[in-house]
Short mmCIF file of all heavy atoms in Angstrom, two decimals:
data_model
loop_
_atom_site.label_atom_id
_atom_site.label_comp_id
_atom_site.label_asym_id
_atom_site.label_seq_id
_atom_site.Cartn_x
_atom_site.Cartn_y
_atom_site.Cartn_z
N LEU A 5 14.77 -0.64 -93.45
CA LEU A 5 14.18 0.66 -93.77
C LEU A 5 13.88 1.38 -92.48
O LEU A 5 13.13 0.85 -91.64
CB LEU A 5 12.92 0.47 -94.61
CG LEU A 5 12.16 1.77 -94.98
CD1 LEU A 5 13.03 2.67 -95.86
CD2 LEU A 5 10.84 1.44 -95.68
N SER A 6 14.44 2.54 -92.31
CA SER A 6 14.16 3.35 -91.10
C SER A 6 13.43 4.62 -91.53
O SER A 6 13.84 5.29 -92.50
CB SER A 6 15.47 3.70 -90.39
OG SER A 6 15.22 4.21 -89.11
N ILE A 7 12.37 4.94 -90.81
CA ILE A 7 11.50 6.08 -91.16
C ILE A 7 11.36 6.98 -89.95
O ILE A 7 10.99 6.52 -88.88
CB ILE A 7 10.10 5.59 -91.62
CG1 ILE A 7 10.24 4.61 -92.79
CG2 ILE A 7 9.23 6.78 -92.01
CD1 ILE A 7 8.92 3.98 -93.22
N ASP A 8 11.66 8.25 -90.13
CA ASP A 8 11.52 9.26 -89.09
C ASP A 8 10.31 10.14 -89.45
O ASP A 8 10.38 10.94 -90.38
CB ASP A 8 12.78 10.09 -89.00
CG ASP A 8 12.67 11.22 -87.95
OD1 ASP A 8 11.76 11.16 -87.10
OD2 ASP A 8 13.53 12.14 -88.01
N ILE A 19 19.51 1.43 -93.82
CA ILE A 19 20.66 1.32 -92.94
C ILE A 19 20.97 -0.17 -92.78
O ILE A 19 20.05 -0.98 -92.60
CB ILE A 19 20.38 1.93 -91.56
CG1 ILE A 19 19.85 3.37 -91.70
CG2 ILE A 19 21.63 1.93 -90.70
CD1 ILE A 19 19.51 4.03 -90.37
N VAL A 58 11.29 -2.90 -90.69
CA VAL A 58 11.00 -1.46 -90.74
C VAL A 58 11.08 -0.89 -89.34
O VAL A 58 10.47 -1.38 -88.39
CB VAL A 58 9.59 -1.19 -91.31
CG1 VAL A 58 9.30 0.32 -91.33
CG2 VAL A 58 9.46 -1.77 -92.70
N ALA A 59 11.90 0.16 -89.18
CA ALA A 59 12.05 0.87 -87.92
C ALA A 59 11.46 2.27 -88.04
O ALA A 59 11.67 2.94 -89.05
CB ALA A 59 13.52 0.96 -87.53
N ILE A 60 10.70 2.70 -87.02
CA ILE A 60 9.97 3.96 -87.10
C ILE A 60 10.23 4.81 -85.85
O ILE A 60 10.15 4.33 -84.75
CB ILE A 60 8.45 3.69 -87.23
CG1 ILE A 60 8.19 2.81 -88.45
CG2 ILE A 60 7.66 4.98 -87.29
CD1 ILE A 60 6.83 2.10 -88.38
N SER A 61 10.51 6.07 -86.09
CA SER A 61 10.57 7.07 -85.03
C SER A 61 9.39 7.99 -85.22
O SER A 61 9.11 8.46 -86.33
CB SER A 61 11.88 7.85 -85.15
OG SER A 61 11.83 9.05 -84.41
N VAL A 62 8.71 8.31 -84.12
CA VAL A 62 7.45 9.06 -84.25
C VAL A 62 7.22 9.93 -83.01
O VAL A 62 7.64 9.56 -81.92
CB VAL A 62 6.28 8.05 -84.43
CG1 VAL A 62 6.14 7.13 -83.23
CG2 VAL A 62 4.98 8.73 -84.74
N GLY A 101 9.63 -2.08 -85.67
CA GLY A 101 9.96 -1.43 -84.42
C GLY A 101 9.50 0.01 -84.43
O GLY A 101 9.65 0.70 -85.45
N VAL A 102 8.93 0.46 -83.33
CA VAL A 102 8.40 1.82 -83.24
C VAL A 102 8.93 2.45 -81.96
O VAL A 102 8.87 1.84 -80.89
CB VAL A 102 6.86 1.87 -83.22
CG1 VAL A 102 6.36 3.31 -83.34
CG2 VAL A 102 6.28 1.02 -84.35
N GLU A 103 9.45 3.68 -82.06
CA GLU A 103 10.00 4.35 -80.89
C GLU A 103 9.69 5.83 -80.91
O GLU A 103 9.58 6.46 -81.97
CB GLU A 103 11.52 4.14 -80.82
CG GLU A 103 12.17 4.57 -79.52
CD GLU A 103 11.52 3.94 -78.29
OE1 GLU A 103 11.88 2.81 -77.95
OE2 GLU A 103 10.63 4.60 -77.71
N ASN A 104 9.50 6.41 -79.74
CA ASN A 104 9.34 7.85 -79.60
C ASN A 104 10.58 8.57 -80.12
O ASN A 104 11.70 8.08 -80.01
CB ASN A 104 9.15 8.16 -78.11
CG ASN A 104 9.38 9.62 -77.77
OD1 ASN A 104 10.48 10.01 -77.41
ND2 ASN A 104 8.34 10.44 -77.91
N LYS A 107 13.42 9.40 -77.59
CA LYS A 107 14.12 8.19 -77.15
C LYS A 107 14.97 7.61 -78.29
O LYS A 107 16.03 7.03 -78.04
CB LYS A 107 13.10 7.17 -76.65
CG LYS A 107 12.40 7.60 -75.36
CD LYS A 107 11.37 6.55 -74.93
CE LYS A 107 10.73 6.94 -73.59
NZ LYS A 107 9.90 8.14 -73.68
N ALA A 108 14.48 7.77 -79.51
CA ALA A 108 15.29 7.31 -80.64
C ALA A 108 16.60 8.10 -80.74
O ALA A 108 17.65 7.53 -81.05
CB ALA A 108 14.48 7.47 -81.95
N GLY A 109 16.54 9.39 -80.41
CA GLY A 109 17.75 10.20 -80.40
C GLY A 109 18.76 9.66 -79.39
O GLY A 109 19.95 9.62 -79.65
N LEU A 111 18.91 6.50 -78.28
CA LEU A 111 19.36 5.20 -78.73
C LEU A 111 20.45 5.35 -79.81
O LEU A 111 21.38 4.55 -79.86
CB LEU A 111 18.19 4.39 -79.27
CG LEU A 111 17.23 3.82 -78.23
CD1 LEU A 111 16.00 3.21 -78.87
CD2 LEU A 111 17.94 2.77 -77.36
N ALA A 112 20.29 6.34 -80.69
CA ALA A 112 21.33 6.57 -81.71
C ALA A 112 22.68 6.86 -81.08
O ALA A 112 23.71 6.32 -81.50
CB ALA A 112 20.90 7.72 -82.62
N TRP A 115 24.13 3.71 -79.40
CA TRP A 115 24.61 2.73 -80.35
C TRP A 115 25.95 3.13 -81.00
O TRP A 115 26.93 2.39 -80.92
CB TRP A 115 23.54 2.51 -81.43
CG TRP A 115 23.83 1.42 -82.41
CD1 TRP A 115 24.68 0.36 -82.25
CD2 TRP A 115 23.26 1.28 -83.71
NE1 TRP A 115 24.66 -0.45 -83.37
CE2 TRP A 115 23.80 0.09 -84.29
CE3 TRP A 115 22.35 2.01 -84.44
CZ2 TRP A 115 23.47 -0.36 -85.56
CZ3 TRP A 115 21.98 1.57 -85.71
CH2 TRP A 115 22.51 0.39 -86.25
N SER A 284 19.87 12.96 -88.77
CA SER A 284 19.70 11.51 -89.03
C SER A 284 19.57 10.70 -87.75
O SER A 284 19.43 9.48 -87.83
CB SER A 284 20.87 10.99 -89.86
OG SER A 284 20.96 11.63 -91.10
N ALA A 285 19.62 11.35 -86.60
CA ALA A 285 19.65 10.63 -85.33
C ALA A 285 18.49 9.64 -85.17
O ALA A 285 18.68 8.49 -84.78
CB ALA A 285 19.63 11.64 -84.18
N ASN A 286 17.28 10.08 -85.53
CA ASN A 286 16.14 9.24 -85.27
C ASN A 286 16.09 8.02 -86.20
O ASN A 286 15.51 6.97 -85.84
CB ASN A 286 14.84 10.03 -85.41
CG ASN A 286 14.71 11.09 -84.32
OD1 ASN A 286 15.44 11.06 -83.36
ND2 ASN A 286 13.78 12.02 -84.48
N LEU A 287 16.69 8.12 -87.36
CA LEU A 287 16.78 6.98 -88.25
C LEU A 287 17.65 5.89 -87.61
O LEU A 287 17.28 4.72 -87.60
CB LEU A 287 17.35 7.38 -89.61
CG LEU A 287 16.56 8.38 -90.44
CD1 LEU A 287 17.31 8.72 -91.73
CD2 LEU A 287 15.15 7.84 -90.78
N TYR A 288 18.80 6.29 -87.09
CA TYR A 288 19.69 5.32 -86.43
C TYR A 288 19.06 4.76 -85.15
O TYR A 288 19.11 3.55 -84.91
CB TYR A 288 21.02 6.00 -86.09
CG TYR A 288 21.93 6.25 -87.25
CD1 TYR A 288 21.96 7.49 -87.90
CD2 TYR A 288 22.80 5.27 -87.70
CE1 TYR A 288 22.82 7.73 -88.95
CE2 TYR A 288 23.67 5.50 -88.76
CZ TYR A 288 23.66 6.73 -89.39
OH TYR A 288 24.51 6.96 -90.43
N GLY A 289 18.50 5.64 -84.36
CA GLY A 289 17.96 5.22 -83.07
C GLY A 289 16.78 4.28 -83.21
O GLY A 289 16.64 3.31 -82.46
N ALA A 290 15.90 4.56 -84.15
CA ALA A 290 14.74 3.67 -84.38
C ALA A 290 15.22 2.29 -84.77
O ALA A 290 14.68 1.28 -84.31
CB ALA A 290 13.83 4.26 -85.45
N LEU A 291 16.26 2.21 -85.62
CA LEU A 291 16.76 0.91 -86.03
C LEU A 291 17.41 0.18 -84.86
O LEU A 291 17.20 -1.02 -84.67
CB LEU A 291 17.78 1.06 -87.17
CG LEU A 291 18.46 -0.26 -87.58
CD1 LEU A 291 17.41 -1.33 -87.95
CD2 LEU A 291 19.44 -0.06 -88.71
N TYR A 292 18.16 0.90 -84.03
CA TYR A 292 18.79 0.23 -82.89
C TYR A 292 17.71 -0.34 -81.97
O TYR A 292 17.87 -1.44 -81.43
CB TYR A 292 19.69 1.20 -82.14
CG TYR A 292 20.56 0.54 -81.09
CD1 TYR A 292 21.26 -0.62 -81.39
CD2 TYR A 292 20.67 1.08 -79.81
CE1 TYR A 292 22.07 -1.20 -80.42
CE2 TYR A 292 21.45 0.48 -78.85
CZ TYR A 292 22.16 -0.67 -79.16
OH TYR A 292 22.94 -1.28 -78.22
N GLY A 293 16.62 0.37 -81.78
CA GLY A 293 15.51 -0.15 -80.99
C GLY A 293 14.95 -1.43 -81.59
O GLY A 293 14.66 -2.39 -80.86
N LEU A 294 14.80 -1.45 -82.92
CA LEU A 294 14.32 -2.67 -83.57
C LEU A 294 15.31 -3.83 -83.43
O LEU A 294 14.89 -4.97 -83.13
CB LEU A 294 14.06 -2.40 -85.05
CG LEU A 294 13.68 -3.63 -85.92
CD1 LEU A 294 12.42 -4.30 -85.40
CD2 LEU A 294 13.51 -3.22 -87.36
N LEU A 295 16.57 -3.56 -83.61
CA LEU A 295 17.58 -4.61 -83.49
C LEU A 295 17.59 -5.20 -82.07
O LEU A 295 17.72 -6.42 -81.89
CB LEU A 295 18.96 -4.07 -83.85
CG LEU A 295 19.17 -3.65 -85.31
CD1 LEU A 295 20.56 -3.06 -85.50
CD2 LEU A 295 18.92 -4.81 -86.26
N GLN A 296 17.45 -4.34 -81.07
CA GLN A 296 17.36 -4.84 -79.69
C GLN A 296 16.12 -5.70 -79.49
O GLN A 296 16.18 -6.75 -78.83
CB GLN A 296 17.35 -3.64 -78.71
CG GLN A 296 18.67 -2.94 -78.60
CD GLN A 296 18.61 -1.81 -77.56
OE1 GLN A 296 17.62 -1.08 -77.47
NE2 GLN A 296 19.67 -1.68 -76.76
#
Side-chain angles (χ1 to χ4, degrees):
L5 177 63
S6 192
I7 303 173
D8 177 17
I19 308 178
V58 179
I60 302 160
S61 163
V62 63
V102 188
E103 190 53 84
N104 163 268
K107 293 180 177 65
L111 286 171
W115 186 21
S284 299
N286 293 348
L287 297 178
Y288 286 96
L291 175 55
Y292 190 47
L294 172 59
L295 294 177
Q296 288 183 319

